[in-house]
Amino acid sequence: RIRAAAAAAVALATVAAGMLAAGLGAELLVPAGWERFGEGISQGLAVLADADTPYGGPDPWARLLLLLAPPLALGAAAALAFWPGRQRRGWALVLLIGFYGIAATLNSPSLPLVWGAILLVLVAAWLWLPHLDRLAWRGAAAVLGVAAAVGIGAAAALDADDPWIDWAGWSWPGEDPSVGFRWNHSYGPLDWPRDGTALLRVESEEPHYWRVIQLDRFDGSGWEVATEQPSIERPLELPGDVEGRAAQGPPEPDWVQEVSFTIGGLESGLLLAPGAVLAVDGLDGVSPGAGGTSLTSERLRDGDTYTVTSYAPKPSAERLRASPASYPRALRRYTQLELPRSLPLPEAESGLTLSRPPTLTVPLYGQPRESRIAERLDESLYAGVHSLALRLSAGAESPYDAVAAIESHLRSGYSYTETPPRRPVPLRDFLFRDRAGYCQQFSGAMALMLRSLGIPSRVASGFSSGEAEQGGGAFQVSDRDAHSWVEAYFVGIGWVPFEPTPPAAPAGAQLSELAASRQVEATGTVIPRRGLVVPTVAGQLTAPEA
């Protein structure tokens, strides 16, 4: 009994020491702190239930729970293996292999077959060495060698792209895990699939937004694809398309990207690409279409691969600020708005269907504005939105300063939620009533304000960059990375992405490295993003400030 009590004390002390080393405050290990400890555990589990793996978000309790797993698992395994009198080495081995398997799945080693062989040797030593006769080691080594050869051969023959169990999406053999999306904005509670299903793998040296479609028409309520626009004849994607190829010349070489896509659980009739598509290799029957590049032969499905060459500008804040404010007339369709007239409050809240209002083309930024244009804006349901845009852009010395001011206002002054209420005038009510939403509300409101100022803009939909693979050069994109952002046009540069959604959004929908670096340059604000190590101070985890 004394030995058992001493063993229990040693085991508990060891686990407690591991927890303290992981960052747990000592005050939480005493009875007075147990209630707070339990509340923190519940908070962390709730965050991890809907988070991407590996977790890279800012929640301190979610991070702490992940760091507490090793001392708990290893402490329990040590106690089972070396408990006095009655050892349970088999259960200890199950714990160790399970813990190793989880870590190897979430963060795959660079040489998995070699690591598997090493694990096999260690398991054999664990099982046999305490009981192996000195004369039987040659036979044991031969058996181990045969097992390693068979295991390595079998592992190498397995198809990693078609796993027996898809742990990311939790689908089993025979299931169809394909995921599709409706890209037009709806603004109600988020109904996208959010199960962590792996959709595609992208080989790219740099993170980008993987654009699927552009929503370039505001219909008085929300953003959608303007199918009636002559985008097939004149897509206006490259600076040369808008400003004249002879004057503009070829795209800047540093902004031309070659990116390879491998489709997983995604099903799409539209091509994914970072920016404007220049060439596609690996797919037949690709033709340009309204609001994106359509696949006319067959839809993208699991196993399809292709390489796309795209023009994806990555200008600095200084380069954007120096862009001329004299926009070509061809961009006027990107300042068009359909604005319903203002209604009395009871009618506006009744949810009645409004007839399609006439289209208003706002003069391009920097050009004279007729009084009738101002009257139409002030008489519309979005008069307050226009006034807010004017106030935020007051004093802006360039179109970029106006864009950056509106982007910063939305990122810092509104909350992120995936369950906003449905409203009859959703973007207006988002800005002035609810002050909370997800990427559709943020991007839709920003593009609306930019167009009211005459800055050519549109909403883009697709996916954020995804989770960078260890070693770089590739990104894993899941359904949690589905996203919507804003693109504004700059003379001599082209369409540039902007991110109005605040960093409190899920990790998969947060700011890409490209936009984050530009925001730091422009404002000096450090934006937390996936992969950021949150430091511990005096045993208490602290999250970075936005």
Side-chain angles (χ1 to χ4, degrees):
R1 291 179 181 177
I2 294 176
R3 291 175 62 193
V10 169
L12 290 175
T14 304
V15 171
M19 289 182 170
L20 294 175
L24 183 68
E27 69 278 4
L28 299 179
L29 291 176
V30 298
W34 288 354
E35 181 178 357
R36 181 184 165 202
F37 191 17
E39 293 174 353
I41 291 175
S42 298
Q43 174 185 327
L45 290 175
V47 172
L48 292 174
D50 295 323
D52 287 331
T53 51
Y55 179 71
D59 187 84
W61 275 105
R63 288 178 171 273
L64 183 58
L65 286 186
L66 294 175
L67 293 174
L68 293 181
L72 284 173
L74 301 181
L80 289 170
F82 301 109
W83 194 263
R86 187 178 180 184
Q87 300 168 345
R88 295 172 175 82
R89 295 172 55 83
W91 288 109
L93 182 62
V94 169
L95 268 177
L96 290 174
I97 293 179
F99 193 71
Y100 178 93
I102 292 172
T105 301
L106 295 179
N107 195 0
S108 301
S110 57
L111 299 172
L113 298 183
V114 173
W115 283 99
I118 294 174
L119 178 62
L120 175 64
V121 172
L122 293 175
V123 169
W126 178 284
L127 293 174
W128 289 352
L129 280 184
H131 313 291
L132 190 65
D133 187 276
R134 293 182 179 179
L135 299 178
W137 68 270
R138 289 187 179 88
V143 171
L144 186 61
V146 171
V150 172
I152 290 175
L158 292 175
D159 184 0
D161 294 328
D162 186 20
W164 293 348
I165 300 176
D166 178 10
W167 68 271
W170 292 115
S171 61
W172 300 85
E175 290 187 49
D176 181 11
S178 297
V179 177
F181 292 87
R182 301 185 307 274
W183 296 113
N184 284 345
H185 282 189
S186 61
Y187 305 118
L190 190 63
D191 60 355
W192 297 345
R194 308 278 286 167
D195 303 322
T197 302
L199 299 184
L200 60 143
R201 180 177 183 269
V202 187
E203 294 181 24
S204 174
E205 293 300 324
E206 299 177 353
H208 291 276
Y209 292 102
W210 316 121
R211 190 175 69 192
V212 176
I213 201 167
Q214 301 95 33
L215 310 181
D216 48 11
R217 175 187 168 225
F218 183 74
D219 67 356
S221 177
W223 290 88
E224 63 181 19
V225 178
T227 54
E228 72 274 12
Q229 294 286 5
S231 53
I232 295 179
E233 292 79 9
R234 197 175 185 190
L236 304 183
E237 290 298 310
L238 300 174
D241 296 334
V242 183
E243 302 154 29
R245 289 195 179 275
Q248 181 65 35
E252 185 166 329
D254 291 342
W255 294 347
V256 175
Q257 304 286 321
E258 187 174 281
V259 178
S260 297
F261 291 83
T262 301
I263 305 301
L266 177 68
E267 181 178 348
S268 174
L270 299 171
L271 198 73
L272 292 88
V277 176
L278 301 177
V280 180
D281 184 31
L283 292 176
D284 297 326
V286 178
S287 62
T293 303
S294 300
L295 296 177
T296 57
S297 57
E298 55 185 66
R299 298 174 66 83
L300 288 172
R301 296 183 184 276
D302 186 15
D304 289 340
T305 61
Y306 65 92
T307 300
V308 63
T309 303
S310 294
Y311 174 72
K314 307 181 293 293
S316 64
E318 182 180 11
R319 177 78 178 268
L320 290 169
R321 193 171 283 116
S323 173
S326 55
Y327 291 102
R329 287 181 57 83
L331 292 169
R332 295 183 68 212
R333 66 175 167 165
Y334 293 105
T335 65
Q336 292 179 349
L337 296 168
E338 296 177 12
L339 299 179
R341 292 186 180 276
S342 181
L343 299 174
L345 185 61
E347 293 183 62
E349 298 295 335
S350 65
L352 74 157
T353 301
L354 301 173
S355 60
R356 179 170 175 177
T359 299
L360 171 68
T361 301
V362 180
L364 291 164
Y365 187 86
Q367 295 183 0
R369 181 171 296 190
E370 300 175 10
S371 58
R372 66 178 185 86
I373 300 295
E375 291 175 359
R376 279 284 308 276
L377 287 166
D378 292 339
E379 292 174 355
S380 74
L381 287 172
Y382 298 97
V385 177
H386 179 226
S387 297
L388 176 62
L390 289 174
R391 178 171 62 82
L392 294 174
S393 62
E397 298 180 356
S398 69
Y400 170 71
D401 292 323
V403 175
I406 292 173
E407 178 190 43
S408 177
H409 172 77
L410 290 169
R411 287 178 59 81
S412 60
Y414 294 79
S415 302
Y416 183 88
T417 178
E418 296 180 354
T419 56
R422 292 189 180 277
R423 301 293 188 193
V425 190
L427 294 182
R428 184 196 63 181
D429 290 339
F430 160 71
L431 287 172
F432 303 112
R433 181 176 180 179
D434 302 317
R435 301 185 67 85
Y438 50 94
C439 61
Q440 288 190 2
Q441 282 84 1
F442 284 93
S443 60
M446 179 175 176
L448 177 59
M449 284 193 282
L450 292 180
R451 286 203 177 185
S452 75
L453 297 176
I455 297 176
S457 56
R458 65 192 185 189
V459 174
S461 291
F463 300 92
S464 58
S465 56
E467 204 71 54
E469 292 185 358
Q470 187 179 21
F475 298 85
Q476 296 284 347
V477 180
S478 76
D479 57 7
R480 292 193 179 116
D481 294 306
H483 194 42
S484 187
W485 60 97
V486 174
E487 293 181 345
Y489 192 91
F490 290 85
V491 175
I493 298 173
W495 293 100
V496 178
F498 286 86
E499 181 56 82
T501 305
Q510 284 189 16
L511 198 60
S512 74
E513 297 283 343
L514 171 65
S517 63
R518 188 172 64 237
Q519 185 130 9
V520 170
E521 180 185 350
T523 66
T525 302
V526 177
I527 306 299
R529 51 190 181 268
R530 288 173 297 173
L532 183 67
V533 177
V534 180
T536 60
V537 180
Q540 186 173 6
L541 289 174
T542 57
E545 295 182 357

